[in-house]
Amino acid sequence: MKLSIVIPVYNGADSIEQLVKVIFEQLQNQVDLEIVLVNDCSLDKSWEKLVFLQTIYASKIIAVDLSSNFGEHNAVMAGYHYCHGDYIVNIDDDFQNPPSEILKLLEEIRIGYDVVYSIYSKKQQSLFRNLGSKLNDKMANIMLKKPHDLYLSSFRIISASLLRQIIKYEGPYPYIDGLILRATSKISQLEVVHESRRDGTSNYTLVKLIRLWSNMFFNFSLTPLRVATILGGIFSMFGFV
């Protein structure tokens, strides 16, 4: 069984080498491992680190360099196009998702799910980030008709069959969770450990949150169409009067 791990990297030069090392130490005897590292136009020496890691680990590492800072979802989508695994995990580059927890997700998805999301009993991040996550969850309930008991975590594992459906999307603003919810209802979630960030600071900002909501609203929700239909009916009625 082959497992692909996609890691979007942004200003992760100080952590990515150690993260890759830990992943191989903990998982290489359990699965046939492949790691896809996507540099999202980092401002530090992340790309040099990825090239170095590709040299050290040879065919086990695929390094992808984006020409601009396209954001997490575009970086993950780019990584998905290079995956060959039976299952595909994506994790952050900051150690908040311990590599040891990947095996738990792998065991759960092999029951027969297309996707398994991680959930956390306690999140080790800032109050602003926690608030943003809660707001994003509420917006997804409204715009995507997401089940209220489902938490959309970026630390998730998907099947190869679901990946093939996701990468068919050719639009400029992919929203991975929106594509997942469109493609399958075989969804599970599993509690895992969430740890504190080891290096650097979070790149999570209010601007990025608003962009995510806009993408969700205009590209993955029927709400704009419904609003336009209602407004069209109102204007038509006034026109008739």
Side-chain angles (χ1 to χ4, degrees):
M1 181 188 63
K2 192 177 187 70
L3 177 68
S4 298
I5 300 178
V6 177
I7 309 177
V9 179
Y10 182 70
N11 295 343
D14 293 334
S15 62
I16 191 61
E17 183 176 352
Q18 181 63 22
L19 176 60
V20 168
K21 180 182 178 181
V22 171
I23 289 174
F24 276 105
E25 287 176 348
Q26 296 186 356
L27 301 182
Q28 66 179 345
N29 293 328
Q30 309 291 327
V31 294
D32 181 9
L33 192 61
E34 167 189 80
I35 301 180
V36 182
L37 303 170
V38 184
N39 178 42
D40 194 15
C41 202
S42 299
L43 301 177
D44 62 4
K45 295 187 179 296
S46 291
W47 176 241
E48 288 84 348
K49 283 284 187 180
L50 303 196
V51 172
F52 170 74
L53 289 169
Q54 191 173 40
T55 302
I56 296 298
Y57 293 96
S59 61
K60 295 292 185 179
I61 295 282
I62 299 171
V64 181
D65 191 27
L66 301 185
S67 61
S68 184
N69 178 233
F70 291 106
E72 180 184 354
H73 287 266
N74 274 290
V76 171
M77 178 67 88
Y80 278 173
H81 281 272
Y82 290 88
C83 291
H84 306 92
D86 300 295
Y87 300 102
I88 302 90
V89 175
N90 67 273
I91 65 174
D92 294 334
D93 63 353
D94 54 13
F95 272 102
Q96 289 195 288
N97 308 132
S100 58
E101 300 296 271
I102 291 174
L103 292 176
K104 294 181 182 179
L105 298 181
L106 181 59
E107 183 178 357
E108 178 75 5
I109 198 170
R110 294 182 70 184
I111 294 174
Y113 297 108
D114 283 325
V115 57
V116 178
Y117 284 97
S118 63
I119 55 175
Y120 315 111
S121 58
K122 184 177 182 181
K123 300 180 71 174
Q124 303 295 331
Q125 57 192 25
S126 68
L127 177 62
F128 172 72
R129 182 68 187 269
N130 282 331
L131 179 60
S133 296
K134 289 181 180 179
L135 289 174
N136 185 62
D137 185 68
K138 297 300 182 184
M139 294 294 281
N141 288 340
I142 296 170
M143 295 183 185
L144 304 179
K145 304 301 181 184
K146 176 187 73 67
H148 288 264
D149 59 347
L150 176 64
Y151 176 71
L152 301 178
S153 167
S154 61
F155 181 28
R156 58 183 169 251
I157 184 170
I158 66 173
S159 65
S161 59
L162 178 56
L163 178 134
R164 288 191 290 271
Q165 294 300 314
I166 291 172
I167 62 176
K168 289 179 181 179
Y169 179 79
E170 297 180 347
Y173 305 110
Y175 177 51
I176 304 298
D177 297 310
L179 294 170
I180 289 172
L181 292 173
R182 280 182 180 181
T184 185
S185 59
K186 296 169 66 177
I187 301 171
S188 182
Q189 52 188 350
L190 189 70
E191 185 173 312
V192 300
V193 174
H194 190 259
E195 295 186 346
S196 300
R197 188 184 183 96
R198 292 195 182 181
D199 296 289
T201 58
S202 175
N203 299 305
Y204 194 83
T205 65
L206 180 60
V207 172
K208 289 184 178 181
L209 185 61
I210 292 173
R211 286 176 181 169
L212 179 64
W213 290 346
S214 297
N215 185 21
M216 196 188 304
F217 183 76
F218 290 108
N219 295 305
F220 293 91
S221 174
L222 293 176
T223 303
L225 179 61
R226 290 168 179 159
V227 171
T229 300
I230 293 171
L231 290 177
I234 292 173
F235 287 128
S236 296
M237 181 181 67
F238 277 107
F240 175 78
V241 172

